[in-house]
Amino acid sequence: MRVAVIGSGYVGLVAAACFAELGHHVVCVDNDHAKVAALKAGKTPIYEDYLTEVLARHQGDNLSFSTSLGTSVKGAEAIFIAVGTPMSPTGDADLSYVESVTRELAKSINSYKVVVEKSTVPVCTSAWIERSLVLNGCPRAEFDVVSNPEFLREGSAVSDFLYPDRIVVGAASQRAAQVLRDIYAPLLDGSYSSHTGAVPRPEGAKPKPRYIETSPQSAELVKHACNAFLAMKISFINAVANVCEAVDADIEEVCLGIGSDTRIGHRFLRAGIGYGGSCFPKDVAAFRSAARVHGYKFELLDAVHKINEQQRQLFLRKVRMALWTLKGKRLCVLGLAFKDGTDDVRESPAIQIVQSLLHEGCEIVAFDPAAMTNAKALFSDSIFYATDAYAAAEGADALLILTEWKEFASLDLIRIRELLKYPIVLDGRNLYAPEAMAKAGLDYHSVGRAARAISHPIPVQARVAD
Ligand code: NAD
């Protein structure tokens, strides 16, 4: 198939590379000229496992990059829109990038095309795209609009795309539905994984995804409801963690008990400093907003958001409690990305915590295995950047773990204690057993578990926020 992908961000670039990997002829379009120049020069602008290899395998053969939407879409049978849909100041999804692409498409469509919504958008957006194409001069018979939400996770985006749990396609016409079936055929029949050199199937991934065909509105709702549900699971367990702290229970024990219920499962039941990233915060807000527009007040989502915000404040309060005063304190920060496996710092809880600590007069020495470049673009020289976790810890008044990178879960704790000025660790991701920290002689403060103070007892103050 001939496919155009508009947008070369985390979703667009991965989708373009993976469609090429499935044997299609792909052109990936972006209006960011510098990004396209870098891609053409063989650079991979984001950090994702397998992405560089897959891009290198297809670039110049069945994958190309362009800044010209008009010429790129002319030969395509399907056009995937994968531009950003950021949160507007009111909490609604800002659909101006989608609309701008639609206006350009209307001028360029020269024969029947399937226009595919890959970006995460509020319910009924496909109807708006259809209307906009017609209003901007594209004959109705020349296109169909399909919703095909993307469920990849940053950090495992290529594997997620090629071995998804399910593919959801919301098409109103059989003709368009067939185009999408053809595009995904190598995944649906399981043939992709048997190709020599195929990206390996992750452990536990199904050989064939479930293919779910729905109405466009249902497909749009699946994506928002899915992200809102996962965010709710995180806020729920964080709320339980706060109760644990108040009664000296252990959230890890509680999670083991809850997650072992097969109706619930262990995933997304990790207490910590809350969710972040470019999707959950904006999608919770956009879903709440879309529900309101259609007459329903989704108050559960207000609580999900509020608990998430509160979680960062509670962690900051722990930092203050452990260090007494913050002004002038040098803090080692491990992790800046919003989660492990990615360089993405958008809406990262770690970034927000660092900003608050800077505001309170702390000096920050940070290390992240992948997100330092993106963090530098935000903080410039207002923080120090270390070359590894141990260099960051040297002489610091405390060590803070803010992202759940695997390597932060296996630090040499004795060495850390020797490097730190004070033996204080605040773990926003519960990467350690409190006993291991105690054995290494470190005061350990985590989430949903009693603090273990080795050096001196900490004066008791109210622990739960108002
Ligand atoms: P991104 O910001 O990384 O990339 C968007 C790209 O679109 C940018 O490179 C930008 O230059 C380009 N662009 C904007 N307007 C354009 C135009 N008119 N023509 C051509 N290119 C244009 O965004 P992303 O993280 O890839 O997300 C894209 C969409 O996918 C969003 O709706 C997001 O919610 C959704 N999504 C993201 C993820 C994720 O993990 N990042 C997962 C699933 C779904």
Side-chain angles (χ1 to χ4, degrees):
M1 306 282 296
R2 279 159 297 136
V3 171
V5 179
I6 319 295
S8 66
Y10 286 85
V11 168
L13 184 59
V14 169
C18 292
F19 284 141
E21 179 78 353
L22 297 183
H24 304 304
H25 290 272
V26 184
V27 52
C28 185
V29 184
D30 207 294
N31 60 0
D32 179 335
H33 289 248
K35 204 183 235 185
V36 171
L39 285 163
K40 282 183 169 175
K43 297 197 179 108
T44 314
I46 55 171
Y47 173 91
E48 281 295 339
D49 278 350
Y50 303 112
L51 186 57
T52 304
E53 295 91 301
V54 175
L55 286 172
R57 187 145 61 215
H58 301 289
Q59 190 164 354
D61 180 12
N62 57 336
L63 173 63
S64 60
F65 296 97
S66 172
T67 50
S68 167
L69 188 145
T71 47
S72 303
V73 302
K74 281 205 165 22
E77 290 149 275
I79 303 158
F80 287 76
I81 304 177
V83 297
T85 49
M87 197 190 318
S88 70
T90 52
D92 304 288
D94 173 356
L95 297 176
S96 56
Y97 301 97
V98 175
E99 194 194 1
S100 139
V101 168
T102 310
R103 275 200 306 266
E104 276 193 75
L105 279 179
K107 288 185 272 164
S108 316
I109 289 180
N110 54 343
S111 59
Y112 176 78
K113 319 261 178 221
V114 180
V115 176
V116 190
E117 245 177 32
K118 197 61 149 159
S119 300
T120 301
V121 291
V123 63
C124 296
T125 300
S126 63
W128 278 104
I129 293 178
E130 185 179 320
R131 186 170 182 266
S132 171
L133 285 169
V134 172
L135 283 178
N136 286 291
C138 185
R140 180 63 195 86
E142 294 287 294
F143 70 89
D144 276 309
V145 181
V146 168
S147 167
N148 171 219
E150 182 49 57
F151 302 101
L152 64 76
R153 296 160 300 170
E154 287 178 25
S156 52
V158 172
S159 303
D160 287 349
F161 195 96
L162 294 169
Y163 298 98
D165 301 330
R166 78 305 205 187
I167 295 170
V168 176
V169 171
S173 92
Q174 267 314 312
R175 186 179 182 188
Q178 188 55 49
V179 169
L180 271 285
R181 277 179 224 131
D182 292 344
I183 288 174
Y184 285 113
L187 299 182
L188 301 185
D189 62 16
S191 60
Y192 167 68
S193 61
S194 56
H195 286 188
T196 338
V199 170
R201 177 147 54 96
E203 212 178 303
K206 292 191 219 161
K208 293 178 192 175
R210 183 162 187 176
Y211 196 67
I212 303 169
E213 293 187 336
T214 68
S215 69
Q217 299 93 300
S218 298
E220 290 163 337
L221 275 175
V222 167
K223 177 64 192 178
H224 265 167
C226 185
N227 275 1
F229 185 85
L230 294 172
M232 178 188 73
K233 228 175 152 186
I234 296 170
S235 280
F236 178 83
I237 208 62
N238 280 332
V240 176
N242 295 331
V243 179
C244 285
E245 285 183 22
V247 299
D248 275 346
D250 182 328
I251 188 65
E252 298 305 323
E253 292 174 357
V254 174
C255 282
L256 186 63
I258 304 175
S260 300
D261 185 326
T262 50
R263 294 170 302 176
I264 298 174
H266 292 283
R267 294 173 79 182
F268 286 81
L269 277 192
R270 293 294 314 265
I273 49 177
Y275 59 79
S278 68
C279 293
F280 284 6
K282 89 168 166 65
D283 291 347
V284 168
F287 192 23
R288 196 171 39 156
S289 194
R292 195 183 53 233
V293 166
H294 295 281
Y296 181 68
K297 247 178 123 185
F298 209 148
E299 288 176 343
L300 175 63
L301 298 182
D302 295 339
V304 168
H305 167 73
K306 194 170 161 204
I307 292 168
N308 198 52
E309 294 289 301
Q310 200 183 38
Q311 208 58 18
R312 281 193 280 275
Q313 296 310 320
L314 288 173
F315 187 77
L316 284 166
R317 181 191 283 214
K318 280 183 186 146
V319 181
R320 284 185 214 107
M321 287 276 293
L323 286 163
W324 191 16
T325 67
L326 290 184
K327 201 166 158 190
K329 293 268 162 71
R330 182 181 174 91
L331 301 179
C332 157
V333 164
L334 299 187
L336 294 164
F338 83 94
K339 65 171 194 170
D340 63 326
T342 180
D343 61 347
D344 197 349
V345 295
R346 291 178 289 180
E347 297 288 322
S348 167
I351 296 290
Q352 291 162 1
I353 285 171
V354 168
Q355 277 161 342
S356 299
L357 292 169
L358 283 175
H359 191 66
E360 296 197 39
C362 295
E363 188 179 280
I364 304 291
V365 191
F367 172 69
D368 186 288
M372 302 281 264
T373 307
N374 286 340
K376 279 178 192 165
L378 284 179
F379 290 118
S380 179
D381 55 2
S382 59
I383 68 172
F384 295 99
Y385 304 93
T387 47
D388 63 24
Y390 300 102
E394 199 171 349
D397 293 277
L399 179 148
L400 276 55
I401 300 174
L402 301 184
T403 308
E404 64 275 34
W405 284 99
K406 275 193 199 77
E407 58 215 86
F408 297 157
S410 55
L411 296 171
D412 176 344
L413 295 181
I414 303 291
R415 190 171 162 205
I416 289 289
R417 195 200 57 212
E418 285 164 2
L419 287 168
L420 286 171
K421 184 167 157 199
Y422 300 131
I424 299 171
V425 174
L426 291 122
D427 182 357
R429 300 295 185 173
N430 285 6
L431 295 189
Y432 285 91
E435 298 70 30
M437 284 282 170
K439 207 168 148 206
L442 289 157
D443 279 5
Y444 184 56
H445 308 260
S446 54
V447 180
R449 301 183 290 187
R452 302 286 161 100
I454 304 299
S455 42
H456 292 285
I458 292 167
V460 177
Q461 286 178 25
R463 284 186 290 194
V464 178
D466 303 332

